[in-house]
Amino acid sequence: MNSKQLLERESFAETAERLQRAARLAEAAGDGVTAAKLAQLAEKASAGELVIAFCGHFSAGKSTMINTLLGRELLPSNPIPTSANVVKIRSGEAAARVYTHKQGVLCFDPEREMAELKRLAADGDTVERVEISWPDLFLGDHAALLDTPGIDSTDAAHKIATESALHLADVVIYMMDYNHVQAEENFRFTKTLQERGKPLFLVINMIDKHVDFELDFADYKESVEEAFANWNIVPDGIFYTSLSEPDHPENQFAAFRARLGELLNEREERVRASLIASAQQLVEEHRRFHRQQHEAERLSLEAELAQATEGLDEVDRERVDEQLRQMEQRLAELEATPERAVREMRSELDKLLDNARLTYYSTNEAAERYLESRRPDFKVGLFFAAKKTEAERAARLDALLRDFRDKVEAHLDRHFKQLLVNLSESYGLHDEDYHAAVHAVKVEVTPEFLAGQVKPGAGSREYVLNYCQDLADGIKAEYRRIGLALIEQVGGLLQQRLQAERDALQRRIEQYGKVQAILAKQAQLEAAEQAAAAQLQSILREGE
């Protein structure tokens, strides 16, 4: 259940007790201003009192309007700023209380000491507020009128007094002089009132100043409504009044007074709605109080953030987190690239060597003849046999050498070199020294190599196939050894090439990490402020 639903269903006494608990929480948090306003709201809820506040320029005739409505001259109505304090008027036994800053509460008899009372009402330096009660007013037992200082007062304290009293108002009457409706201060102040969720009625007073031949009154009213609409201000009603010419044809004083009577009849509904709106406003003020408590730390963090983000594009929290994640991912990729490249190149080399076929039928035939020539009983011819035998052996060796060299060149060497060049370039390496080293690779197929692969007992046809496999494996082993060395060289070149990027990336990660840490601290402050407001809100919502 939200605070609005809760406050709508409970009694005024229950609401008052809830607001008192909220006031104690605010006080315990050191927010005396909000605590005092919550306590005032609790008092208001306890009384169930409807408060109608009159605001506006001092020259708009607020005090005269209130006196006219009351049928009594309880407020001074001079052509100078009159009430410098908030003056509250309610029905009851004739009495007046003046709340001063230093002397406490002063009590007066309004029937015999009205002159002194009016003087104090205009004294904004020593007096905080004035409360007057008078019997048989149209307000009834549970309503009051507030007369607030003029918002155009040169004394900033008067404006503060007006604004600070508005949280107790259930309805706001904003009065303007006919000639000063278009003043920007009117638009700004009424927009603030509307944003607070207070019912707002506009009273354009002194319409007797209107001259028909200059502007039709209907056009004047249309211009007023349009001016406020341009500020997105939609009041609950607009009344045009004249107190000096009661019979003015456009005077809506009677309608205005009747509307006030309707508001009095709507007291409970209006008070509940106002308590909800004011309580929510005070929750926000409590959050701002905590924000102010963090102001020094916040400014320090902002200075740190400005320094940490120097040279960076404008960043926000989401972007920092995402970019930091991407940079850390990229750094991990860079650090893993050389090792991964070496592993992948080794795999490609293995595939090449495994798939390279180096012995064919011609090779097998040459190998068989070569192996046969190595047998001890091998002999050619009858005359000059030794010389002919050696010549035949040399011929058979040369035949195997040429055949196997051709196969290695055609089916391994050129593919080996192309692979190692392509692999390095696939990783963005175009190193001339490396390319030269690859193309300089030369694995010699020598007579010694062929002889070295012959095992004792060679002679069977089956052995010829094994011997040819040994030849292929032996050559491939040498290419593998050379290839692995070249691959390690590629790994080293990659390390060198990527080191500068890794260093630059690491510096950016450190910078973004500082930014992230600062943003996290700022978020913690924001979370603490929101938590404080939420704690107050929870009392208003659930009473816990």
Side-chain angles (χ1 to χ4, degrees), residues 484-495:
L484 291 177
L486 289 169
I487 287 172
E488 290 299 323
Q489 186 177 343
V490 172
L493 291 172
L494 273 177
Q495 285 279 11

Side-chain angles (χ1 to χ4, degrees), residues 332-352:
E333 290 174 356
L334 290 176
E335 290 176 341
T337 292
E339 182 179 347
R340 188 186 73 251
V342 167
R343 186 169 60 251
E344 291 174 352
M345 287 189 290
R346 284 177 175 174
S347 176
E348 291 300 314
L349 178 62
D350 287 342
K351 290 178 185 178
L352 173 70

Side-chain angles (χ1 to χ4, degrees), residues 188-305:
R188 293 190 181 280
F189 195 79
T190 51
K191 189 170 182 64
T192 300
L193 292 173
Q194 184 172 267
E195 289 171 351
R196 290 190 179 196
K198 302 287 185 179
L200 173 65
F201 295 88
L202 305 181
V203 174
I204 315 300
N205 196 27
M206 304 180 191
I207 60 171
D208 47 276
K209 296 179 181 179
H210 178 75
V211 181
D212 276 326
F213 70 81
E214 292 181 351
L215 176 69
D216 185 77
F217 196 79
D219 292 336
Y220 171 77
K221 291 199 294 184
E222 184 178 346
S223 70
V224 169
E225 293 170 8
E226 182 179 348
F228 280 92
N230 288 338
W231 280 71
N232 294 319
I233 299 168
V234 183
D236 293 83
I238 304 179
F239 297 92
Y240 299 84
T241 62
S242 173
L243 300 180
S244 61
E245 293 185 22
D247 296 329
H248 191 286
E250 300 292 345
N251 188 15
Q252 294 180 312
F253 174 79
F256 173 55
R257 184 185 177 100
R259 186 68 183 98
L260 292 182
E262 293 173 359
L263 292 171
L264 294 177
N265 292 332
E266 300 165 1
R267 176 182 66 86
E268 287 198 16
E269 176 188 347
R270 294 287 180 178
V271 171
R272 288 189 187 282
S274 178
L275 286 171
I276 293 167
S278 293
Q280 294 305 313
Q281 181 68 25
L282 291 177
V283 168
E284 177 58 23
E285 289 185 15
H286 187 58
R287 188 192 68 78
R288 288 198 294 267
F289 163 79
H290 282 277
R291 183 176 180 83
Q292 184 63 36
Q293 299 300 104
H294 298 148
E295 189 63 20
E297 185 175 359
R298 193 185 310 279
L299 291 175
S300 176
L301 288 173
E302 288 175 358
E304 289 182 34
L305 185 62

